[in-house]
Amino acid sequence: MGSWAAKLIHERGGKVIAVSDVTGAVKNPNGIDIPELLRHKETTGSLKDFQGAESMDANELLIHKCDVLIPCALGGVLNRFSILPKVAPCFSASSTCSVFFLLH
């Protein structure tokens, strides 16, 4: 689901700035070339060493600044114990918190 959302947003001119999956997480504040990232993932089996973005700590993904959060994960991965403690502190009058895609 996350890869489809990322593709659709990218195709329509949106900027996807970070993604993660079970192999890791990557970010690029200027936007990630989603078709290239998906080709890299298909070829290598991993997000690691993708040249169009830098590695990031997957635990930081949910609190990385952006405009839209689209959490796409396997069932049971995101729950009030795993996501709420990370995301809740981001919601305040002075900050915006949202994140990207968990590609599964």
Side-chain angles (χ1 to χ4, degrees):
M1 182 174 163
S3 60
W4 283 102
K7 278 190 230 180
L8 291 172
I9 289 168
H10 182 79
E11 287 171 2
R12 285 163 178 77
K15 184 165 54 169
V16 178
I17 61 173
V19 298
S20 76
D21 71 0
V22 297
T23 67
V26 294
K27 66 180 178 179
N28 182 337
N30 297 313
I32 296 170
D33 184 333
I34 297 301
E36 280 299 313
L37 178 65
L38 294 173
R39 276 191 283 281
H40 174 80
K41 168 83 189 252
E42 187 175 313
T43 302
T44 67
S46 173
L47 297 181
K48 293 178 184 175
D49 300 322
F50 176 62
Q51 297 301 309
E54 65 182 86
S55 294
M56 70 181 293
D57 182 342
N59 293 320
E60 298 297 313
L61 188 72
L62 292 174
I63 57 172
H64 192 73
K65 280 192 174 186
C66 71
D67 296 323
V68 177
L69 166 60
I70 304 179
C72 303
L74 296 171
V77 172
L78 300 176
N79 58 54
R80 66 186 172 129
F81 302 108
S82 69
I83 195 171
L84 190 58
K86 294 174 185 167
V87 176
C90 298
F91 292 99
S92 71
S94 63
S95 66
T96 304
C97 181
S98 32
V99 181
F100 327 104
F101 306 98
L102 303 168
L103 299 175
H104 291 281

